[in-house]
């Protein structure tokens, strides 16, 4: 058998290295697809895995306090390693101008590559994710509903009778796997971040495991490559920026915050494409526009008798 020269690699070794590299790339691609397919594409992995810089306190007194707190919420918190969000707080997008602009964007992308049609988010599903959480049973869903309703007075106090207007402008991506319309910069971002922070605290105080992004980045998703897994096998591994170049600085319109929904990631969506909604809370004065009133009426009807609206 012929020996390779010094520092050389024979054909079998080359084949093994190539195979290992291919397996590694496929594993990485599948992992990215799984993560970006959820409504919480930017959740910080450290938070989800329970990694923290805080020192562990092992005193008996602290353990007793934790036991009493756990008993008070009448539930056993799942281990952090088992934490998998299945519910989220959603701010629905109902402004027709925004929806029309996004559909125009989607059509422009599809015209350039028809294969991407299956990656588009339905217009009925457009939303901003405020917080993700894990609700394991009906009791925890009811606790989540109560927590959502408790947010209402805080938000209204924060806004001091004013409307929170959310303007959308420009396009961004998460790793060129998820395409989204950006929320324009401004004071409204700080207000929305404060609401998200308080929502996280409110749910956790009730014993609910809630995921928190270290750098809250509200966004409006319009496409996900993970919705069409077969594209990767056909060479489409990233969203080409040239596809949305003409929309890179476009103003899509403004959404007025008037409702926050507690939605399921897993239950069957409504007929209009929006997520299954367990409960809603209306912020400030109810919308007075005719179309907004129609949207609100349809929303309440599709929620069913089980839901609570306050």
């Amino acid at each position: 058998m012929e020996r390779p020269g010094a520092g050389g690699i024979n054909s079998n070794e080359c084949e093994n290295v190539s195979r290992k590299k291919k397996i590694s790339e496929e594993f990485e691609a599948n992992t990215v697809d799984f993560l970006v397919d959820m409504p919480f594409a930017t959740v910080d992995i450290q938070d989800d895995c329970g990694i923290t810089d805080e020192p562990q306190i092992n005193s008996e007194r602290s353990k007793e306090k934790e036991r009493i707190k756990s008993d008070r919420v009448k539930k056993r918190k799942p281990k952090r390693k088992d934490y998998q969000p299945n519910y989220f707080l959603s701010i629905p997008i109902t402004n027709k101008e925004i929806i029309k602009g996004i559909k125009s964007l989607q059509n422009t992308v599809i015209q350039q590559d028809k294969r991407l049609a299956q990656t588009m988010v339905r217009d009925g599903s457009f939303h901003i994710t405020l917080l993700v959480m894990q609700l394991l049973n009906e009791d925890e869903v009811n606790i989540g509903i109560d927590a959502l309703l408790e947010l209402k007075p805080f938000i209204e106090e924060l806004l001091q009778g004013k409307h929170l207007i959310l303007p959308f402008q420009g396009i961004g991506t998460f790793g060129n796997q998820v395409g989204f319309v950006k929320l324009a910069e401004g004071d409204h971002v700080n207000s929305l971040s404060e609401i998200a922070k308080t929502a996280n605290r409110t749910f956790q105080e009730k014993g609910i495991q809630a995921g928190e992004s270290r750098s809250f980045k509200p966004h409006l998703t319009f496409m996900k490559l993970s919705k069409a897994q077969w594209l990767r096998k056909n060479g489409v591994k990233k969203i080409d920026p040239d596809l949305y170049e003409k929309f890179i600085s476009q103003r899509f319109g403004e959404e007025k915050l008037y409702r926050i929904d507690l939605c399921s990631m897993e239950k069957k969506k409504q007929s209009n494409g929006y997520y299954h909604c367990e409960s809603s809370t209306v912020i400030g004065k109810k919308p007075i526009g005719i179309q907004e009133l129609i949207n609100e009426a349809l929303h309440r009807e599709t929620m069913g008798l089980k839901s609570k609206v306050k």
Side-chain angles (χ1 to χ4, degrees):
M1 181 170 62
E2 184 180 354
R3 289 180 63 184
I9 301 176
N10 61 34
S11 60
N12 289 334
E13 290 175 328
C14 287
E15 183 178 350
N16 289 335
V17 171
S18 178
R19 185 181 297 111
K20 289 180 180 179
K21 182 178 181 181
K22 181 178 181 181
I23 292 174
S24 176
E25 290 176 347
E26 289 179 350
F27 175 80
E28 182 180 355
N30 290 334
T31 301
V32 171
D33 282 340
F34 173 77
L35 290 175
V36 302
D37 197 30
M38 305 302 285
F40 55 97
T42 57
V43 171
D44 191 291
I45 298 301
Q46 281 194 327
D47 287 340
D48 282 352
C49 297
I51 301 174
T52 175
D53 295 329
E54 296 179 4
Q56 297 296 316
I57 301 175
N58 297 317
S59 68
E60 292 299 323
R61 184 177 181 182
S62 296
K63 290 181 179 179
E64 181 64 15
K65 286 183 178 180
E66 288 299 319
R67 186 189 66 77
I68 294 175
K69 183 177 180 180
S70 178
D71 291 341
R72 188 162 57 244
V73 297
K74 298 181 179 180
K75 64 182 289 295
R76 180 180 64 84
K77 293 184 180 180
K79 294 181 179 179
R80 195 66 177 178
K81 65 180 181 180
D82 298 327
Y83 172 61
Q84 179 60 56
N86 58 346
Y87 277 82
F88 66 104
L89 293 185
S90 167
I91 298 176
I93 302 300
T94 60
N95 185 332
K96 284 190 172 183
E97 179 186 359
I98 297 176
I99 295 173
K100 182 179 179 181
I102 295 178
K103 293 181 74 172
S104 176
L105 163 62
Q106 291 175 324
N107 289 334
T108 298
V109 173
I110 294 172
Q111 287 173 7
Q112 298 174 76
D113 191 339
K114 291 182 171 55
R115 296 175 300 175
L116 297 177
Q118 295 184 30
T119 71
M120 299 302 166
V121 176
R122 284 186 57 181
D123 56 325
S125 298
F126 295 148
H127 70 281
I128 295 176
T129 298
L130 198 62
L131 178 71
V132 298
M133 70 205 70
Q134 182 181 49
L135 303 178
L136 298 175
N137 49 52
E138 287 301 310
D139 287 340
E140 292 189 2
V141 169
N142 288 330
I143 293 174
I145 291 174
D146 290 339
L148 171 60
L149 297 181
E150 286 184 14
L151 284 177
K152 178 184 174 72
F154 164 79
I155 296 175
E156 293 180 343
E157 180 180 357
L158 175 68
L159 300 179
Q160 298 181 343
K162 300 178 182 179
H163 293 295
L164 180 58
I165 306 299
L166 306 174
F168 292 91
Q169 180 179 8
I171 306 295
T173 71
F174 293 127
N176 290 316
Q177 300 294 308
V178 176
F180 60 86
V181 174
K182 296 179 180 179
L183 181 65
E185 295 296 326
D187 292 340
H188 53 274
V189 176
N190 295 331
S191 297
L192 193 60
S193 296
E194 189 65 28
I195 292 173
K197 186 187 302 182
T198 301
N200 181 66
R201 183 173 64 249
T202 300
F203 276 78
Q204 289 192 357
E205 286 177 350
K206 286 184 172 291
I208 297 298
Q209 291 282 359
E212 179 183 13
S213 173
R214 290 186 184 274
S215 55
F216 178 62
K217 187 174 183 178
H219 60 280
L220 204 175
T221 301
F222 67 87
M223 70 180 293
K224 300 179 183 179
L225 289 184
S226 59
K227 290 172 66 66
Q229 302 268 349
W230 58 270
L231 284 173
R232 182 172 294 276
K233 297 179 181 179
N234 286 269
V236 182
K237 299 181 180 180
K238 295 183 178 181
I239 301 173
D240 186 350
D242 292 339
L243 296 174
Y244 55 79
E245 183 178 12
K246 62 179 292 187
F247 293 88
I248 208 72
S249 300
Q250 176 166 322
R251 296 178 182 273
F252 287 84
E254 299 178 341
E255 181 73 30
K256 180 189 300 181
L257 171 63
Y258 77 92
R259 198 181 82 221
I260 299 176
D261 302 325
L262 175 62
C263 297
S264 169
M265 300 179 188
E266 300 172 347
K267 293 183 179 180
K268 184 178 179 180
K269 290 185 177 182
Q270 301 176 26
S271 59
N272 63 0
Y274 192 60
Y275 297 88
H276 174 88
C277 185
E278 299 287 354
S279 178
S280 294
T281 187
V282 175
I283 307 302
K285 295 181 179 179
K286 297 180 181 179
I288 58 175
I290 295 178
Q291 186 59 50
E292 289 178 314
L293 287 173
I294 293 175
N295 290 340
E296 182 68 12
L298 290 173
H299 169 72
R300 293 192 183 190
E301 181 179 350
T302 54
M303 281 178 62
L305 297 176
K306 173 184 171 182
S307 304
K308 300 177 182 179
V309 179
K310 185 175 180 179

